[in-house]
Amino acid sequence: MPKKIDLNLITNQLRDDKIHKYNLNLGELCTLKNFQEYPGVLSPNLITARFLANYLFSNNALYLNKIVIDMGCGSGIQGITAVLNGAKKVIFSDISELAVRNTIANIKQYGLSQKTKVFHGNLFEKIKTKVDVIIFNHPFFEDKLIEGTISKSLADSKGGLINIFLEDAKKYLRKNGRIIMPYDSCAGKKNCPKVQGEKHGYEVNLRFKHKVDSIVKKGAFSYNLIYELKIKNKK
């Protein structure tokens, strides 16, 4: 499991102007050497992102020989984990130009250009292909929960993004396709994949749960969760 994260360090990295390079451990047998993190792009060392990447590494049957979207790709960590461990093809998309540049740099770093495609766009804006799996580490905290703690790139107070995503995703999932989404139990209901997913007609199953120190309240704890969503009765 990922080691305890220094949140102050993460926040500083989001604010500085340096490209950070480090070895990123995904499991006992996989370390991404010289993984690149661009300034202004959310760190893959953040607790939820690391748990998700470790989960994907350990459960590659989810995407083996399948086409995957890494939505809101950031540094590209989730999609890169998938393509290195058996995905047929990974499509990356992010609204941030910096994130797109960061993802492209990491794709080149690991020689994955032949099995990847990167788009700069809002959600599915540039994507034309139906896929088997969509991975989305979405912003799920409310602003009031994280102010002065971690980056606003983790926040969506109105809960609008997840609802747009869940409705649009139906057009891009193949039969028996699935969505993988992480969550933090202290983030409330507005952006919860289970609560919102069921409203949009998805069957939602909890696949991972791990107790961690809360990142929004000192001395408290929360649970890192990973949900799998499938469209009910999709024909």
Side-chain angles (χ1 to χ4, degrees):
M1 293 298 175
K3 61 182 70 174
K4 188 173 180 180
I5 305 301
D6 184 343
L7 294 173
N8 290 324
L9 176 61
I10 293 169
T11 303
N12 290 338
Q13 289 180 1
L14 281 161
R15 291 172 178 167
D16 69 23
D17 58 356
K18 298 177 182 178
I19 295 177
H20 295 264
K21 295 183 180 182
Y22 45 81
N23 295 340
L24 193 59
N25 182 23
L26 297 178
E28 294 182 3
L29 302 176
C30 183
T31 298
L32 298 179
K33 294 184 178 180
N34 295 315
F35 191 87
Q36 298 183 52
E37 177 188 321
Y38 277 31
V41 176
L42 191 64
S43 173
N45 266 315
L46 195 63
I47 296 171
T48 303
R50 286 290 301 277
F51 274 117
L52 179 56
N54 276 261
Y55 175 81
L56 293 172
F57 175 78
S58 301
N59 295 273
N60 74 324
L62 291 169
Y63 52 82
L64 186 64
N65 297 319
K66 295 178 179 179
I67 300 176
V68 177
I69 292 174
D70 181 358
M71 183 61 68
C73 55
S75 65
I77 181 60
Q78 312 306 337
I80 286 171
T81 299
V83 76
L84 284 172
N85 289 279
K88 181 178 181 180
K89 179 180 179 181
V90 176
I91 300 166
F92 298 81
S93 178
D94 203 296
I95 197 170
S96 164
E97 183 179 353
L98 274 174
V100 168
R101 287 166 52 196
N102 195 166
T103 292
I104 291 172
N106 281 319
I107 285 171
K108 291 180 178 178
Q109 169 76 15
Y110 304 112
L112 303 174
S113 298
Q114 295 299 314
K115 298 179 71 175
T116 58
K117 187 73 174 178
V118 186
F119 292 108
H120 177 212
N122 186 9
L123 295 177
F124 298 96
E125 179 184 7
K126 302 287 183 65
I127 298 174
K128 308 298 181 185
T129 306
K130 286 196 173 186
V131 302
D132 305 291
V133 181
I134 302 172
I135 304 164
F136 190 21
N137 185 9
H138 65 302
F140 45 71
F141 285 106
E142 294 184 37
D143 288 345
K144 63 182 181 181
L145 291 177
I146 66 170
E147 186 170 1
T149 307
I150 48 180
S151 169
K152 294 291 183 176
S153 57
L154 296 176
D156 180 13
S157 288
K158 295 181 179 180
L161 182 64
I162 188 172
N163 288 288
I164 295 170
F165 165 78
L166 289 171
E167 199 57 37
D168 286 353
K170 297 174 183 179
K171 306 170 190 174
Y172 295 89
L173 282 173
R174 291 178 171 176
K175 186 177 181 179
N176 298 320
R178 67 191 75 190
I179 301 171
I180 307 297
M181 299 180 74
Y183 200 58
D184 190 297
S185 63
C186 69
K189 296 182 179 180
K190 285 183 180 179
N191 295 298
C192 177
K194 178 172 178 58
V195 173
Q196 303 305 328
E198 289 176 348
K199 289 180 180 178
H200 286 270
Y202 289 89
E203 175 186 339
V204 184
N205 291 292
L206 179 64
R207 297 304 189 197
F208 177 88
K209 181 178 181 180
H210 184 74
K211 186 176 179 180
V212 296
D213 292 335
S214 174
I215 63 174
V216 299
K217 186 176 181 181
K218 189 174 182 180
F221 69 87
S222 64
Y223 289 95
N224 271 149
L225 311 169
I226 296 177
Y227 290 102
E228 179 181 304
L229 295 79
K230 291 184 178 181
I231 301 173
K232 293 180 181 178
N233 301 319
K234 184 173 177 63
K235 297 181 180 181

